[in-house]
Amino acid sequence: METRNKLKEHVEIILPENGLEAKWKQAKAENRKLVIKLGFDPTAPDLHLGHAVVLKKLKQFQDAGHQIVILVGSFTARIGDPTGKNKSRKPLSTEEVQRNAETYLHQLDKIIDVSKANVVFNSDWLEALSFSEIIQLLSRVTVAQLLQRNDFNTRFSNNTPIAMHELVYPILQGFDSVKINADIEMGGTDQLFNCTMGRQLQESFGMNPQIVLCMPLLKGLDGKEKMSKSLNNFIGLTEAPNEMFGKTMSIPDSLILEFLELTTDFSSGEKESLKKRLEQGENPMNLKKIIAKNIIQQYHDERAAEEAALFFASQFQNRNFDEKVFQPISIHSIQSFNGKLPLIDLCIQLKSGSTKSAVKRLIESGAVQVNNEKIFDPQVIVELRKAIRIKLGKRDFFEIKN
């Protein structure tokens, strides 16, 4: 009973409410393991702490002896998916899917034992369907049922285009549950509609329908939107320890309890103790440090966590600019005109991946320093004839020299 209660911990939605107990009884009567499905489309190569919320629950089921099925959407990723943001997701090529899937599986191994999981690819059966079989599959679902999905309904009401392949996507995902005979499908609460489609299709095929378990969506570093790479509010599972620590320390105080519950592996007693310390007025920064070290211990090791804590103290709590640790950059790697260029162009080269508008906002807000002097003008000319130290934002320090 204690194990079962642990498996339900933090689960936001169980559909139907008593379904999990019924599945346990069924598996026991049939003397078999429960088949737990987690599907993902390899649309991006990196996993973050938001993904880990579901993966850690999956790990608990695996440790309890159940069969984990990792379903790679090798076919569905190539046709696109409704993103929930009122537009369709760009389909991927076969090569991109394969490359991302390999990276995903490597990262999954940080949390679950992939060697003991059953890894399957839905292209194995979806590509084999004839057109008549696809039509027969689609006939099992009505347009009215598809429009129950919130983003479809909103787009339909606002006369925003919905492509036919988007409507087909959840049906194909549901058919995956039929093919692997899933007992339980797991996902975030944003996957509730697609998971329930699996239940519906299983029933239409005369099968015992799967139970849906939805985990809460972890908020990102901004404290508002769900954690997402596209919103740049994420902490990646493979990020360097120093980056993980700095990002965790940047979360708003309002997120401390959510991160404590969903991202750490402290025992229930340890979590309660930390909550009491916060309630009794302890400095929130102390709690963030504890959470940050725990996160790094999970995805790196204890030594890395200790070193990251020391690095953070020296970089961000020590106010002496010259004592920071600067990343060396060769002057020859900077594209300039006769050793001169506007500050905004220099910063864009240093912080690859940043947009010009984002860098402009950083400079104008006083978040950029050149040789310990704040510069507010993005167009100020920087000369690269001698060593220059630049602080860019909260966590990036560069030294440009020969």
Side-chain angles (χ1 to χ4, degrees):
M1 183 59 69
E2 183 178 348
T3 299
R4 293 185 181 182
N5 289 336
K6 182 72 173 176
L7 292 176
K8 291 189 201 178
E9 187 179 27
H10 299 314
V11 177
E12 190 158 321
I13 299 173
I14 300 178
L15 186 69
E17 289 186 14
N18 62 344
L20 202 49
E21 286 76 9
K23 281 291 182 183
W24 276 321
K25 290 178 182 178
Q26 179 189 350
K28 184 176 181 180
E30 297 173 0
N31 193 28
R32 64 175 180 83
K33 300 175 181 178
L34 288 173
V35 176
I36 320 292
K37 169 193 172 187
L38 177 68
F40 69 88
D41 277 354
T43 52
D46 299 309
L47 297 178
H48 52 64
L49 291 183
H51 296 115
V53 174
V54 176
L55 293 173
K56 288 160 89 170
K57 181 57 62 178
L58 198 67
K59 170 65 171 172
Q60 291 179 353
F61 275 93
Q62 186 178 54
D63 290 343
H66 299 295
Q67 178 61 58
I68 304 304
V69 177
I70 304 297
L71 193 144
V72 182
S74 50
F75 182 88
T76 42
R78 301 204 308 267
I79 68 170
D81 166 42
T83 64
K85 295 192 176 182
N86 305 330
K87 56 185 178 180
S88 60
R89 181 185 296 164
K90 181 182 177 182
L92 301 181
S93 68
T94 302
E95 293 73 21
E96 288 173 318
V97 167
Q98 184 62 36
R99 184 167 56 251
N100 289 351
E102 290 174 359
T103 305
Y104 260 65
L105 292 173
H106 175 71
Q107 293 175 69
L108 287 174
D109 214 32
K110 284 182 167 288
I111 300 176
I112 65 174
D113 189 343
V114 173
S115 67
K116 294 181 180 178
N118 185 15
V119 180
V120 298
F121 297 79
N122 66 7
S123 55
D124 290 347
W125 52 83
L126 292 178
E127 284 185 342
L129 291 175
S130 68
F131 191 65
S132 63
E133 289 172 325
I134 293 173
I135 296 298
Q136 290 171 21
L137 175 61
L138 298 182
S139 71
R140 296 173 182 268
V141 181
T142 68
V143 174
Q145 289 170 324
L146 290 171
L147 289 178
Q148 289 177 9
R149 177 164 170 155
N150 289 336
D151 64 309
F152 285 162
N153 189 283
T154 300
R155 290 163 67 183
F156 181 77
S157 300
N158 294 336
N159 291 319
T160 304
I162 304 173
M164 286 300 298
H165 77 281
E166 297 181 73
L167 296 174
V168 171
Y169 179 91
I171 301 174
L172 297 181
Q173 180 175 327
F175 187 60
D176 291 340
S177 294
V178 173
K179 296 301 292 184
I180 68 171
N181 198 12
D183 289 304
I184 299 172
E185 181 166 10
M186 295 186 61
T189 52
D190 57 344
Q191 284 293 309
L192 177 61
F193 180 87
N194 288 358
C195 292
T196 54
M197 184 60 69
R199 275 181 57 81
Q200 177 185 329
L201 284 175
Q202 284 178 321
E203 285 184 305
S204 75
F205 278 92
M207 302 169 65
N208 194 326
Q210 67 185 17
I211 303 307
V212 176
L213 262 64
C214 291
M215 299 299 293
L217 301 178
L218 178 69
K219 290 188 183 70
L221 304 180
D222 54 7
K224 299 175 183 177
E225 303 285 346
K226 75 170 185 177
M227 185 170 287
S228 167
K229 189 172 183 182
S230 63
L231 296 174
N232 197 30
N233 65 355
F234 70 102
I235 300 176
L237 300 189
T238 59
E239 287 197 77
N242 291 347
E243 192 71 9
M244 278 185 157
F245 199 99
K247 284 186 173 183
T248 305
M249 294 301 296
S250 75
I251 65 172
D253 294 351
S254 60
L255 269 190
I256 290 177
L257 293 181
E258 186 171 327
F259 263 59
L260 179 62
E261 288 292 349
L262 299 180
T263 70
T264 70
D265 63 356
F266 292 122
S267 67
S268 298
E270 289 171 325
K271 288 179 180 179
E272 287 303 316
S273 176
L274 291 171
K275 288 178 188 177
K276 286 182 180 178
R277 288 168 59 176
L278 189 63
E279 291 170 0
Q280 292 169 357
E282 184 165 341
N283 189 334
M285 180 175 285
N286 296 340
L287 278 296
K288 291 181 188 179
K289 288 179 180 178
I290 294 171
I291 292 171
K293 289 175 68 174
N294 180 270
I295 290 172
I296 295 169
Q297 286 171 6
Q298 291 177 69
Y299 303 106
H300 294 281
D301 54 43
E302 187 172 352
R303 180 178 178 181
E306 293 293 342
E307 290 176 350
L310 291 174
F311 178 82
F312 180 85
S314 66
Q315 287 290 89
F316 307 109
Q317 293 183 290
N318 179 356
R319 298 187 180 277
N320 190 328
F321 183 85
D322 292 325
E323 292 182 12
K324 306 295 186 185
V325 178
F326 292 83
Q327 178 183 344
I329 302 291
S330 170
I331 194 172
H332 303 294
S333 67
I334 303 297
Q335 297 179 3
S336 64
F337 181 74
N338 291 331
K340 300 178 181 180
L341 74 168
L343 177 61
I344 188 169
D345 294 340
L346 175 59
C347 292
I348 289 172
Q349 292 186 53
L350 293 174
K351 197 168 178 63
S352 59
S354 295
T355 64
K356 191 168 186 176
S357 58
V359 172
K360 184 173 182 286
R361 286 195 298 271
L362 274 178
I363 297 172
E364 292 177 339
S365 68
V368 174
Q369 296 180 36
V370 178
N371 291 334
N372 204 19
E373 179 183 352
K374 287 186 179 181
I375 306 294
F376 296 90
D377 182 2
Q379 298 301 325
V380 72
I381 299 300
V382 179
E383 296 188 16
L384 303 178
R385 294 175 181 172
K386 56 183 179 179
I388 294 176
R389 286 182 165 182
I390 296 180
K391 178 188 177 208
L392 183 52
K394 293 182 178 180
R395 293 190 296 273
D396 294 314
F397 295 81
F398 303 95
E399 183 172 20
I400 304 171
K401 56 185 179 180
N402 287 315

